[in-house]
Structures are given as structure tokens and as C-alpha cells.
Amino acid sequence: MSDDPRIHADDEGLHPLAHIDETVHQRVRLGILAVLADTDDADFSHLRRTLGLTDGNLGRHLEVLVRHDYVSVSTTGAGRRRRTWVGITRRGRSALEIEVQLLRVLLAGRAGAEEADERRRGPRGDGA
């Protein structure tokens, strides 16, 4: 478990969801960061196809991630051979790792709650 204070459920009595970074947590942006974490960088077309997005939708989410310094974007080539490359930054990788840790805390808490419910219900499942 990380020492990052944002992933501790008991931090000032706040639920772990209080620490979720909405920039990362949004489904498409989480997908972009997850793909890039596995490959370090990918071209725009690969991200678009992999995540099932339109050019405009992917472009808008990349703008948000660039603004937060979670990804970098560069263009190579010229004319019809231009390719746009997207890479995850150190800050983006860290934000993704924190997101994953927070989700683990949530899942562990849920698993603990389910086990407690099972114990309360007893062996027959009716609390007796």
C-alpha cells in the first residue's frame, strides 16, 4: 500500500471516494491513462480504436489530460503522413497509481463489509 495520504480511508474520517481525482476517474480518461501505462506512448489512432472513441471525443479528453500534465502530445511527420503521439507523464502515472490504490481500498472495504454481513447472518443466512 502506498504512503500517499490520499488513499487512506481514515484520513480525517473521509471516505476514500472523497480523494478520487475526477480528472482521472472519468471513464475515458482512465482508459487513456491505463492504455498508456502499459505502452508508455501510443498514436492517436490506436487510442481511438482501442477505446472506441471518435476523433473529437478523444481529442477533448486529451486536452483535459494535457492541461493537468498527465499526458504529453507530439506530432511527427508531415502532410498526410503526420502522426500524433500521446505519452503518459510521470505525474499521469502517479495519478493513475493513486486511482488504482483508492479503488483497492474501496474494494477491500466492500469485501470486509460483505464478510461482516455474512457473519451477522450466521451459517443458515438468516441471522440465527
Side-chain angles (χ1 to χ4, degrees), residues 4-96:
D4 192 298
R6 291 171 286 188
I7 66 168
H8 297 290
D10 61 354
D11 183 28
E12 300 179 27
L14 296 176
H15 192 276
L17 281 176
H19 304 291
I20 291 279
D21 179 345
E22 291 297 328
T23 301
V24 176
H25 192 69
Q26 195 282 336
R27 181 186 65 82
V28 171
R29 294 189 291 263
L30 181 60
I32 292 167
L33 291 174
V35 169
L36 294 175
D38 287 341
T39 63
D40 288 329
D41 64 356
D43 74 341
F44 188 93
S45 297
H46 174 74
L47 287 172
R48 187 190 67 229
R49 281 189 315 271
T50 300
L51 298 170
L53 303 171
T54 64
D55 286 354
N57 194 268
L58 176 57
R60 177 66 186 111
H61 286 289
L62 288 175
E63 287 174 7
V64 172
L65 291 170
V66 166
R67 190 170 51 242
H68 285 86
D69 190 33
Y70 290 165
V71 301
S72 61
V73 176
S74 61
T75 303
T76 61
R80 300 188 84 205
R81 300 238 182 231
R82 289 179 62 148
R83 289 179 73 182
T84 300
W85 291 92
V86 182
I88 191 167
T89 64
R90 180 175 287 149
R91 185 172 179 180
R93 190 174 299 279
S94 176
L96 178 61

Side-chain angles (χ1 to χ4, degrees), residues 102-113:
L102 281 165
L103 292 173
R104 285 184 178 142
V105 168
L106 288 169
L107 291 173
R110 185 65 207 136

